[in-house]
Amino acid sequence: MREELIISGRMNPMIDPQLNIWHWHIPLYLFLGGLAAGILFFAALYTIQGKEKLYPAAVKRAPFITPFILVIGLLALLLDLNNKPYFWQLYTTLRLESPMSWGAWTLMVVTPISFIWCALNIREIFPSFDWKYGWLKWLESFFTKYKIAMSWVLLIFSVILGIYTGILFSAFNARPLWNTSILGPLFLASGLSTGAACIMLVSRSHAERIMFSKIDIVLIGIELFLITHMFMGFLASTQVQIDAAGLFLGGPYTAVFWVLVVFIGMILPAILEVLEINRFRVPVLIPGLLVLFGGLMFRFVIAYAGQASRWLY
Amino acid sequence: MRYAMVIDTKKCVGCSDCVVACQTENKVPIGYARDWVVEVTDGTYPHLQMEIRSERCNQCGNAPCVRCCPTGSSHYSAGGIVLVRPRRCIGCGACITSCPYDARFPHPRGYVDKCTFCDHRIKEGNRPACVEVCPTKCMYFGNLDDPASEVSKLLRQRRYKTLIPEAGTKPHLYFLT
């Protein structure tokens, strides 16, 4: 048997803990970004299809949360930076090779639109709201006129935002667990699923809830399919990726991934949603919150396990 | 011009003089390091084999840190040296995460720091501090594009390896084995 014993001579315990450079900020931001992308995707989609009356929660009510969660997400990103006063340097260049760069620009497109979207629907929450100033009223009518065009932009950029949350990780070939392009579609599916769950939670109409339960079941199915594919890909790949998969297949992240993310965050809410569609009385709060919890845990597990996976030499 | 460092693992005794020289020369804050010594013991007792390596940034030809940097702070400088522009660095940590050699660290001042091959010394015609002080003279520095340079000759004459070439980084740190 061959044994290998590595003694690192860096001789200072302060370095290696520092290499786990990303803590709670990044997974929290990725969750909030995916959630906002999911909500805005459905809002834009049903506006384009002209189904605003059919799905009022998706088009009007749920998007009210998005500016807040995007701002909280951006604050988390800012807190994560080591050189905070220089954050504006992000917006002096656009580097397509760096997902963080075009992701920052995507947020620059999505965040203002989410604010405009809320402003246009403010009477949904405050029926007697008045903009008071003439130019604000002019702006409102201007954006109302171009609502469909704005919806198309939002539809495209919400998909980019959802995919970017995964591509951010998969661009790092130094972390074998992240270095799989399937993370892009997987994080998009998860973001759309949390978005659908959020719409379910704020919806007041039973028909709309049933519709988004169905959408969510399909999305959870896609997620489970992509997760299976991810592990098949890892196990058929190089030793470092086999080791990366091992983190979830018997390694330290096994329980937290399969129990908290896959069972409690995906399979259990899917079962509850199937029951609800089949006319069992399930309080919408339970599957909705479970999906949101699962989405958050998923980001945390991937972020932390990814930083634990590495090349050995 | 392509700068490279060649390190003879057969001559290195792991004294860490290179580490101390670097920390003094570059005023590396206490508790951090731009270079370090790795001792690898291989095999099962009593059939053991040991290798000692002085490691630092590999100044990769295809550097993931340059690719991932969202502001262009990490860049290729003259001779292929990968450098950080502190005033453009936002400290996002993407480069630290992207480095398979874990060669970078966040400087307490906010920007990300790493080995520079002592580019300030090279400009003056000197060798990097670590190479300069090595008591066993196991470290060599030079231009890989010049076939007459010491490093080019050594790589022609001796067996060598680079670290994780399969990561596709095209490292410029060579270890004679």
Side-chain angles (χ1 to χ4, degrees), chain A residues 61-115:
Chain A
R61 294 172 62 84
F64 267 100
I65 319 166
T66 56
F68 297 101
I69 58 181
L70 282 173
V71 167
I72 294 170
L74 285 169
L75 278 177
L77 273 189
L78 185 67
L79 283 179
D80 169 68
L81 298 181
N82 286 297
N83 225 6
K84 294 176 187 65
Y86 287 77
F87 79 93
W88 51 271
Q89 291 276 10
L90 268 177
Y91 295 105
T92 57
T93 42
L94 172 59
R95 301 192 67 254
L96 290 178
E97 280 183 311
S98 163
M100 202 180 267
S101 175
W102 54 259
W105 284 102
T106 305
L107 277 171
M108 224 28 174
V109 175
V110 172
T111 310
I113 296 184
S114 80
F115 275 96

Side-chain angles (χ1 to χ4, degrees), chain A residues 1-3 5 7 9-10 12 15 21-22 82-83 86 89 92-93 95 98 172-175 178 310-311 313, chain B residues 31 33 36-37 39 41-44 55 68-69 87-92 94 97-99 102 110 164 166-167:
Chain A
M1 210 185 99
R2 194 179 149 91
E3 247 176 66
L5 208 147
I7 307 157
R10 288 192 178 196
N12 67 70
I15 289 190
I21 188 77
W22 286 346
N82 286 297
N83 225 6
Y86 287 77
Q89 291 276 10
T92 57
T93 42
R95 301 192 67 254
S98 163
F172 296 126
N173 93 341
R175 313 290 151 198
W178 292 345
R310 53 170 299 162
W311 293 79
Y313 63 94
Chain B
W36 58 92
V37 174
E39 300 168 12
T41 310
D42 208 352
T44 311
E55 291 185 5
C68 286
C69 179
R87 295 181 69 81
R88 282 189 72 79
C89 177
I90 59 173
C92 66
T97 312
S98 77
C99 178
D102 293 338
I164 358 179
E166 62 272 27

Side-chain angles (χ1 to χ4, degrees), chain A residues 9-26:
Chain A
R10 288 192 178 196
M11 294 192 304
N12 67 70
M14 276 182 77
I15 289 190
D16 284 315
Q18 303 264 352
L19 294 174
N20 195 351
I21 188 77
W22 286 346
H23 305 287
W24 58 270
H25 318 82
I26 295 284

Side-chain angles (χ1 to χ4, degrees), chain A residues 167-202:
Chain A
I167 299 290
L168 180 74
F169 279 161
S170 60
F172 296 126
N173 93 341
R175 313 290 151 198
L177 177 71
W178 292 345
N179 194 13
T180 163
S181 49
I182 221 161
L183 277 190
L186 182 53
F187 272 51
L188 174 65
S190 171
L192 291 175
S193 168
T194 51
C198 203
I199 293 166
M200 261 158 48
L201 286 177
V202 299

Side-chain angles (χ1 to χ4, degrees), chain A residues 6-298:
Chain A
I6 299 177
I7 307 157
S8 171
R10 288 192 178 196
M11 294 192 304
N12 67 70
M14 276 182 77
I15 289 190
D16 284 315
Q18 303 264 352
L19 294 174
N20 195 351
I21 188 77
W22 286 346
H23 305 287
W24 58 270
H25 318 82
I26 295 284
L28 176 70
Y29 156 68
L30 293 179
F31 169 71
L32 295 174
L35 177 61
I39 295 172
L40 293 173
F41 174 82
F42 289 117
L45 180 71
Y46 289 124
T47 304
I48 291 167
Q49 291 189 344
K51 291 182 178 168
E52 284 144 320
K53 294 234 159 52
L54 207 55
Y55 304 121
V59 174
K60 290 179 176 167
R61 294 172 62 84
F64 267 100
I65 319 166
T66 56
F68 297 101
I69 58 181
L70 282 173
V71 167
I72 294 170
L74 285 169
L75 278 177
L77 273 189
L78 185 67
L79 283 179
D80 169 68
L81 298 181
N82 286 297
N83 225 6
K84 294 176 187 65
Y86 287 77
F87 79 93
W88 51 271
Q89 291 276 10
L90 268 177
Y91 295 105
T92 57
T93 42
L94 172 59
R95 301 192 67 254
L96 290 178
E97 280 183 311
S98 163
M100 202 180 267
S101 175
W102 54 259
W105 284 102
T106 305
L107 277 171
M108 224 28 174
V109 175
V110 172
T111 310
I113 296 184
S114 80
F115 275 96
I116 295 169
W117 199 275
C118 287
L120 293 186
N121 293 311
I122 191 121
R123 290 194 188 86
E124 184 71 19
I125 305 283
F126 305 106
S128 58
F129 190 84
D130 182 29
W131 285 106
K132 283 196 175 125
Y133 300 103
W135 61 278
L136 286 175
K137 282 177 186 155
W138 179 83
L139 272 180
E140 189 189 15
S141 59
F142 175 82
F143 283 119
T144 310
K145 201 161 76 181
Y146 292 105
K147 205 170 180 179
I148 298 294
M150 195 166 78
S151 300
W152 275 107
V153 174
L154 192 58
L155 190 75
I156 292 162
F157 275 87
S158 62
V159 171
I160 295 175
L161 179 62
I163 287 185
Y164 141 74
T165 58
I167 299 290
L168 180 74
F169 279 161
S170 60
F172 296 126
N173 93 341
R175 313 290 151 198
L177 177 71
W178 292 345
N179 194 13
T180 163
S181 49
I182 221 161
L183 277 190
L186 182 53
F187 272 51
L188 174 65
S190 171
L192 291 175
S193 168
T194 51
C198 203
I199 293 166
M200 261 158 48
L201 286 177
V202 299
S203 175
R204 286 170 176 171
S205 116
H206 185 67
E208 190 178 17
R209 272 185 207 160
I210 293 295
M211 179 63 189
F212 278 92
S213 287
K214 286 179 185 166
I215 291 174
D216 201 36
I217 292 167
V218 173
L219 287 167
I220 289 174
I222 293 172
E223 279 178 78
L224 292 172
F225 171 78
L226 290 175
I227 286 173
T228 315
H229 259 302
M230 184 173 80
F231 281 106
M232 284 169 68
F234 280 150
L235 293 175
S237 183
T238 51
Q239 186 62 46
V240 284
Q241 290 206 312
I242 295 171
D243 292 345
L247 290 169
F248 293 155
L249 303 172
Y253 291 91
T254 310
V256 75
F257 181 73
W258 296 104
V259 176
L260 294 186
V261 177
V262 175
F263 184 70
I264 293 182
M266 293 177 192
I267 296 174
L268 193 59
I271 292 172
L272 292 175
E273 283 162 354
V274 170
L275 288 178
E276 192 180 10
I277 291 167
N278 289 302
R279 304 203 180 143
F280 284 87
R281 285 184 63 84
V282 180
V284 69
L285 207 60
I286 299 175
L289 287 181
L290 285 180
V291 168
L292 290 176
F293 171 77
L296 183 63
M297 285 311 295
F298 180 47

